[in-house]
Amino acid sequence: MDKHEFKSIIEFAVNNEVEAYEFYRDAAIKVKDHHLKKTFEELAEEELDHKKFLEDFLKSGAKEIRIDETSDYKLAETIDKPKLTVEIQFTDAIALAIKNEEEAMDMYKNLSEISLDDEQKKLFIGLMKMEQMHKTRLEDVYVNIAYNEVW
């Protein structure tokens, strides 16, 4: 993989983080519930952190994103993607965020599978793990909230 290709992949990932940031920022503006606003604002900030991580990674000259394996609870596969409304419930808002992270994770996984270049594969897998880490954190929040509501 040449330098231009590598830079293009990271810039693509940065753009995805910006889109996720904008989604969460806009969601924070739209919802009425104070706790949801705060949650969406925190998620937006995390997306900005991911963006900075990727920009710093690009500047560092490293060729591989090294992220520890995280658990994948596969919770996202069991929930439907809710629509964002001003009256969205907290668990639905977290479910929506989980589904968004799952979609990003799946995109990078698919890109790694179709890539013919080993360096590209490693890069896409690193990006997938980054999204999986965020998804897992959101799944933890969802389980703690959803099951508390059931009890």
Side-chain angles (χ1 to χ4, degrees):
M1 169 171 58
D2 69 24
K3 206 175 189 178
H4 178 71
E5 245 181 335
F6 180 81
K7 185 177 180 201
S8 293
I9 290 170
I10 298 301
E11 287 172 350
F12 173 77
V14 166
N15 287 336
N16 282 342
E17 298 301 328
V18 169
E19 286 177 17
Y21 161 77
E22 289 171 352
F23 171 81
Y24 292 133
R25 182 203 59 205
D26 291 348
I29 292 167
K30 289 178 185 171
V31 297
K32 291 181 179 178
D33 182 89
H34 172 72
H35 296 295
L36 272 180
K37 277 189 186 304
K38 185 171 172 35
T39 300
F40 279 130
E41 287 167 358
E42 289 170 2
L43 289 167
E45 286 301 314
E46 286 185 24
E47 297 299 347
L48 286 182
D49 290 344
H50 285 176
K51 175 183 176 280
K52 183 177 178 350
F53 169 83
L54 290 168
E55 289 169 341
D56 291 347
F57 173 75
L58 187 59
K59 288 177 193 169
S60 76
K63 292 288 183 193
E64 185 177 347
I65 296 174
R66 293 178 178 256
I67 295 177
D68 287 338
E69 292 289 329
T70 57
S71 299
D72 188 352
Y73 301 126
K74 305 286 186 191
L75 178 64
E77 290 83 349
T78 67
I79 55 178
D80 294 325
K81 185 174 182 176
K83 298 267 187 236
L84 178 63
T85 66
V86 293
E87 301 292 338
I88 194 168
Q89 298 298 307
F90 191 82
T91 51
D92 286 340
I94 298 302
L96 177 60
I98 289 169
K99 293 303 278 186
N100 286 346
E101 297 299 328
E102 178 192 38
E103 289 169 2
M105 190 180 98
D106 288 346
M107 176 191 63
Y108 289 127
K109 180 178 184 242
N110 291 337
L111 288 170
S112 76
E113 289 171 354
I114 63 171
S115 179
L116 300 177
D117 183 288
D118 286 340
E119 287 181 33
Q120 274 186 0
K121 274 186 192 303
K122 287 179 186 175
L123 186 55
F124 286 131
I125 288 169
L127 292 167
M128 179 195 75
K129 287 179 183 177
M130 191 173 79
E131 298 298 340
Q132 184 175 352
M133 186 173 59
H134 206 183
K135 177 178 152 291
T136 299
R137 182 178 162 269
L138 289 165
E139 287 175 337
D140 285 338
V141 170
Y142 183 86
V143 167
N144 288 326
I145 300 299
Y147 289 119
N148 280 339
E149 287 179 3
V150 170
W151 297 108

